Amino acid sequence: MPLSAYWLRDNCPCTECRDPRNGQKLFQITDLPGDLAIAEQAEEDGVLAVRWSDGHRSRYPVEWLTGTGAGDDRTEQGKRLWEAADFPAGRPGADWDAYLADPAQRTAVLAAVRDVGFAVLRGVPALERQVLEVARDFGYVRETNYGELFDVRVEPDPNNLAFTSAAIAPHTDNPYRDPVPTLQLLHCLRNDATGGDSGLVDGFRAAALLREEAPEDFAVLTGTPVPFAFRDRRSELRAERPLIEVDALGRIREVRFNNRSIGTLRLPAAELDAFYAAYRRFARITLRPELQLTFRLVPGDCLVFDNTRLLHARTAFAQDGHRHLQGCYADLDSLASTLAVLERRAAALDALERMFAGEGLGEYLGEEVTMAEHMLQAGASAEAAGAPAHLVAAALLHDVGHFGGSGLRLMQGQDNRHSHTGADWLARWFGPEVTEPVRLHVAAKRYLCAVEPDYRARLSEASEYTLRVQGGPMDAAEAAAFAALAGAEEAVAVRRWDDQAKVAGAPTPSFAHFRPLLERLMA
Amino acid sequence: MPLSAYWLRDNCPCTECRDPRNGQKLFQITDLPGDLAIAEQAEEDGVLAVRWSDGHRSRYPVEWLTGTGAGDDRTEQGKRLWEAADFPAGRPGADWDAYLADPAQRTAVLAAVRDVGFAVLRGVPALERQVLEVARDFGYVRETNYGELFDVRVEPDPNNLAFTSAAIAPHTDNPYRDPVPTLQLLHCLRNDATGGDSGLVDGFRAAALLREEAPEDFAVLTGTPVPFAFRDRRSELRAERPLIEVDALGRIREVRFNNRSIGTLRLPAAELDAFYAAYRRFARITLRPELQLTFRLVPGDCLVFDNTRLLHARTAFAQDGHRHLQGCYADLDSLASTLAVLERRAAALDALERMFAGEGLGEYLGEEVTMAEHMLQAGASAEAAGAPAHLVAAALLHDVGHFGGSGLRLMQGQDNRHSHTGADWLARWFGPEVTEPVRLHVAAKRYLCAVEPDYRARLSEASEYTLRVQGGPMDAAEAAAFAALAGAEEAVAVRRWDDQAKVAGAPTPSFAHFRPLLERLMA
């Protein structure tokens, strides 16, 4: 496979090139020599080793070299475009309590917003301002000239059609804003008027239909920046964007559709004719009954939807009852981030579960228990002692740095610094209350050997061996410094559970027993 | 001039088609018939009158027909692209106190951000969280995973290079966020370390240079979506956007440039080579010394800049002193809105000043004072009586509905409803505390005639004439209803100043005297 030299070097994963904590690059592209080339390359054990013309060395997992892109979260690529009949099992969503309690439910709701553009949370307390709490669960409220939130209900002096009882055709909100709020939430507090049902149309689907049925009209709409405007006494918002925005690769990326706030387009008459023909065709597509998913929001429902994709609508309602929604805006990037973190956490727990069930069955450094048994026993001891959740987790995971084959190197007389490796790896998901006792559990052994005369004598043979590799007992100054650490006491506690967890054949709980506790600690 | 029928109809300004309060359209484009045509058109007195094939009638000022677009606030169009030498008189900006006190200074600062991409406010109190107050003066803070604000200073465990003392090459912030925060503020609280100077590069200028010098590289960068990524324990942000984004017309619109957070591009090797060649060329342009404006932020300076356009940089600094900036993100659209409102207010004051100096010199409805003298005298009476500012303004402006030639129609026996016309027009800039006494000042006359026996007898001849056109004295029920209005008392006060303001030859202050008061009331 031919490799692009600058690309390969720009992706060097070594800690000199890239901060291991956050993955940020530590050099500028202009720092690389103008004649950069691969001086030497060799593949071994699934790793491509490269020596560069400037002397730098890089190592790349071959698996990474042949990987594909993560995909794009904002364009039509990877999304599920839909029509009304595509939800025979009902609208995607969850009960609010289940959403809060269960990461799998939360993941499903946020993934629905990413993939189909919306989800409905049910049973959200029908309280004023509660919609802000929903938005803050997965992101940040985007404050606008309407305030932090807005009320949709009949108002005595409406400054916007949304605040009257008229029907509203499918549209996106705030097209006159740039950047447009990418996410909208509508929380139903009361809905006992006749009418006032909600409708959603997949604007990406409508745009894709236009592309299929009239590619020249699609080209006109994607190629014509349209001015949108809104003004009242305190604001004068203007944006100039196409009705359908495609990215550099031609993928549908954003739909802005709101006849109410289209301003005056200034083009030669023939181009205006072409634009209006295309615009009218697209508008007619958005009104096709088979595209519109219609439903009724009931108090407690909170609709979350992608305002760059979905058009929302409302049927007229009679003033024979009250209808009150509270809404706010937020952004898709934070929702996507929350979703990615949830997915990453689930993947990490799966990986740990696989480690305990696979590599964990291996011998624990010469003891008569497996690595999995050792760690599960340590976690169980912490739990039995009534330790707080973070110390149960620390005890359970204290030796995770041994995984990945490095335990062997320790037994060959080379300190694998497994306490640090483990703590660093865990820090991707857990806070310092979990990682720091893990980091210090080896130091705690060296400390106890120094301050507790009979402690060393009680060490197992293997532990006595590794003690020497790890630097032997602390001297008095080291021990005093250790004791002064804020985390010393918790590290010593974890160490004692570690030392006890070598009982051959003792019944131990499974990893699954600890998973909910780990899940909560990650959140 | 050929006219596009649907375009023309979509822009019909009548109150049936468009809400006069906010300019929002009251119909959908699909409501128009498929065979819409102009049935008849005629131009008279600068107005094009159109009768449509569906019977609707529209009237368009000819001036509007031939107008041009308002321009685009986000692309290179209309902006001033710059190099370092283009600021011989120093950086655009203002002292914070002057900015707060003087709308002209505020306008200049915000216009600089729009036109050159940045401005510096000086003397902003060097207090924690003050940067949020600056942002809120013209817009809304965009909260992110870094919080509502972020501190830029040396931190014990940096999770971002910005929080160390290393030099940072020109870059934009948060390219891994979509929508990216379009505005950044950096407020200097302390800067006594050696080094740590700030640099700004106009990314639009750099991109325009690339387009001039290597159009094929420009095409590669505008045509290649690039993945950006940031991850820490609680976030995993990804965006896929080109380094240089152009709009549908090819205008430069956004620059994203941040080697630290560029992720792994996945393309065939030849395309990667082309991308990296273009990227490296662009990166070298951004480093040209003549492009970089370098300066030192001192405590109290707050730099406000366009994060979709300007690259910012920092020289390294020694740890021989403290450097502490607080920053936050916000968005350009709200800044542009605030600027447009300021410009609109200044234009309204200018228009009023012209009215007083022009049309205002005309006869006041048969009285021996001009319209301008009448209104200035009413304003002066209110002021002399120690009335609050909003009533001085109401008295000064109470007859503004007569302007525009409609006063004549009143004298021809047709009520021009000038109190309502005036109040509605004023409502574009003033709150109800000013507009409602104006709206009620005619009703107040009819009320006083009903409840104050000698009031009517004291009316001038012209006022007695218009009273009859306006409906004559109120009956008892009408008077009781009027008296019950919350604003009745203030309307009566304005009415009395109105009645007194007909003194031929009395010295009156000029409109300029009242302008600062009106300016404050508009804010």
Side-chain angles (χ1 to χ4, degrees), chain B residues 1 43-48 60-67:
Chain B
M1 180 176 87
E43 197 180 313
E44 201 186 313
D45 289 340
V47 170
L48 175 75
Y60 305 90
V62 170
E63 190 177 51
W64 172 86
L65 284 175
T66 53

Side-chain angles (χ1 to χ4, degrees), chain A residues 2-7 10-11 18-19 21-30 32-34 64-74 140 142-145 157-161 169 176-180 182 222-225 230-238 240-242 245 247-249 251 253 259-266 269 272-273 276 279-280 283-284 287 331-334 336-337 340-341 344-345 427-432 521-522, chain B residues 2-7 10-11 18-19 21-30 32-34 64-74 140 142-145 157-161 169 176-180 182 222-225 230-238 240-242 245 247-249 251 253 257 259-266 269 272-273 276 279-280 283-284 287 331-334 336-337 340-341 344-345 427-432 521-522:
Chain A
L3 291 168
S4 167
Y6 285 99
W7 172 79
D10 195 34
N11 284 288
R18 201 178 270 268
D19 187 317
R21 282 163 300 198
N22 55 40
Q24 292 203 306
K25 282 175 202 175
L26 300 172
F27 64 96
Q28 293 298 314
I29 195 70
T30 44
L32 301 180
W64 173 86
L65 283 174
T66 55
T68 51
D72 165 80
D73 276 346
R74 291 289 303 278
Y140 305 98
R142 175 99 77 93
E143 194 179 348
T144 72
N145 58 310
D157 181 25
N159 76 335
N160 189 302
L161 193 61
Y176 41 75
R177 208 181 292 281
D178 186 5
V180 72
T182 51
T222 55
T224 309
F230 175 85
R231 63 185 283 164
D232 63 13
R233 187 151 69 87
R234 291 200 175 76
S235 33
E236 179 148 346
L237 289 153
R238 290 191 297 254
E240 200 180 299
R241 306 306 312 260
E245 189 191 327
D247 80 347
L249 304 181
R251 300 175 294 191
R253 197 187 142 74
N259 187 64
R260 273 179 283 151
S261 49
I262 279 197
T264 299
L265 195 57
R266 299 287 183 177
L272 289 172
D273 283 343
Y276 271 89
Y279 172 28
R280 291 174 55 239
R284 286 194 303 270
L287 294 180
D331 282 305
L332 282 166
D333 54 1
S334 299
S337 171
V341 169
R344 197 213 296 166
R345 285 175 185 162
R428 294 164 73 175
W429 296 282
F430 296 99
L521 283 168
M522 279 178 166
Chain B
L3 291 168
S4 167
Y6 285 98
W7 172 80
D10 196 35
N11 283 288
R18 201 179 270 268
D19 187 316
R21 284 163 298 198
N22 55 40
Q24 292 203 307
K25 282 176 201 173
L26 300 171
F27 65 97
Q28 292 299 314
I29 194 70
T30 45
L32 300 180
W64 172 86
L65 284 175
T66 53
T68 51
D72 167 81
D73 276 345
R74 292 289 302 279
Y140 306 98
R142 175 98 77 93
E143 194 179 347
T144 72
N145 59 310
D157 181 23
N159 74 337
N160 188 301
L161 193 61
Y176 40 76
R177 207 181 292 280
D178 184 7
V180 72
T182 51
T222 56
T224 309
F230 175 84
R231 65 184 283 164
D232 63 13
R233 188 153 68 88
R234 291 198 175 77
S235 33
E236 177 146 348
L237 289 152
R238 291 191 296 253
E240 200 180 300
R241 306 306 313 260
E245 189 191 326
D247 79 348
L249 304 181
R251 301 176 293 193
R253 197 186 142 73
F257 193 84
N259 187 63
R260 272 180 283 151
S261 49
I262 278 197
T264 298
L265 195 57
R266 297 289 184 176
L272 288 172
D273 282 342
Y276 271 89
Y279 172 28
R280 291 174 53 240
R284 286 195 303 268
L287 294 180
D331 282 304
L332 282 166
D333 54 0
S334 299
S337 171
V341 169
R344 196 213 292 165
R345 284 176 185 162
R428 294 163 72 176
W429 296 282
F430 295 99
L521 283 168
M522 280 178 166

Side-chain angles (χ1 to χ4, degrees), chain B residues 399-414:
Chain B
D399 270 348
V400 79
H402 281 316
F403 284 96
S406 66
L408 191 63
R409 286 199 298 281
L410 180 64
M411 290 313 285
Q412 291 164 345
Q414 179 189 359

Side-chain angles (χ1 to χ4, degrees), chain A residues 1-4 7-9 11-13 38 41-43 46-50 52 58-69, chain B residues 264-267 272:
Chain A
M1 180 175 88
L3 291 168
S4 167
W7 172 79
L8 193 62
R9 177 61 172 273
N11 284 288
C12 176
I38 295 174
Q41 70 181 83
E43 197 180 313
V47 171
L48 176 76
V50 172
W52 295 94
S58 308
R59 293 170 58 83
Y60 307 89
V62 170
E63 190 178 51
W64 173 86
L65 283 174
T66 55
T68 51
Chain B
T264 298
L265 195 57
R266 297 289 184 176
L267 290 171
L272 288 172

Side-chain angles (χ1 to χ4, degrees), chain B residues 23 36 76 160 164 177 265 275 280 282 308 381 419 425:
Chain B
L36 181 73
E76 60 184 312
N160 188 301
T164 68
R177 207 181 292 280
L265 195 57
F275 172 81
R280 291 174 53 240
F282 184 46
T308 68
S381 295
S419 58
W425 186 79

Side-chain angles (χ1 to χ4, degrees), chain B residues 188-338:
Chain B
C188 180
L189 297 179
R190 196 165 173 188
N191 196 7
D192 47 34
T194 306
D197 289 351
S198 300
L200 290 176
V201 171
D202 183 355
F204 279 16
R205 174 70 182 142
L209 284 169
L210 181 70
R211 180 170 54 194
E212 271 170 50
E213 297 172 9
E216 68 293 351
D217 283 348
F218 182 80
V220 166
L221 294 193
T222 56
T224 309
V226 175
F228 289 92
F230 175 84
R231 65 184 283 164
D232 63 13
R233 188 153 68 88
R234 291 198 175 77
S235 33
E236 177 146 348
L237 289 152
R238 291 191 296 253
E240 200 180 300
R241 306 306 313 260
L243 298 191
I244 303 171
E245 189 191 326
V246 293
D247 79 348
L249 304 181
R251 301 176 293 193
I252 297 166
R253 197 186 142 73
E254 280 191 15
V255 169
R256 295 195 183 213
F257 193 84
N258 193 321
N259 187 63
R260 272 180 283 151
S261 49
I262 278 197
T264 298
L265 195 57
R266 297 289 184 176
L267 290 171
E271 290 178 41
L272 288 172
D273 282 342
F275 172 81
Y276 271 89
Y279 172 28
R280 291 174 53 240
R281 188 191 292 267
F282 184 46
R284 286 195 303 268
I285 292 176
T286 67
L287 294 180
R288 288 184 190 168
E290 68 270 26
L291 258 61
Q292 182 160 324
L293 186 68
T294 305
F295 53 94
R296 188 170 179 84
L297 290 176
V298 301
D301 282 355
C302 183
L303 175 64
V304 182
F305 63 98
D306 179 346
N307 187 49
T308 68
R309 173 180 174 190
L310 293 207
L311 281 54
H312 61 292
R314 184 188 70 198
T315 62
F317 59 96
Q319 307 234 3
D320 59 351
H322 293 85
R323 186 175 190 272
H324 183 195
L325 309 183
Q326 276 192 332
C328 72
Y329 299 109
D331 282 304
L332 282 166
D333 54 0
S334 299
L335 181 146
S337 171
T338 302

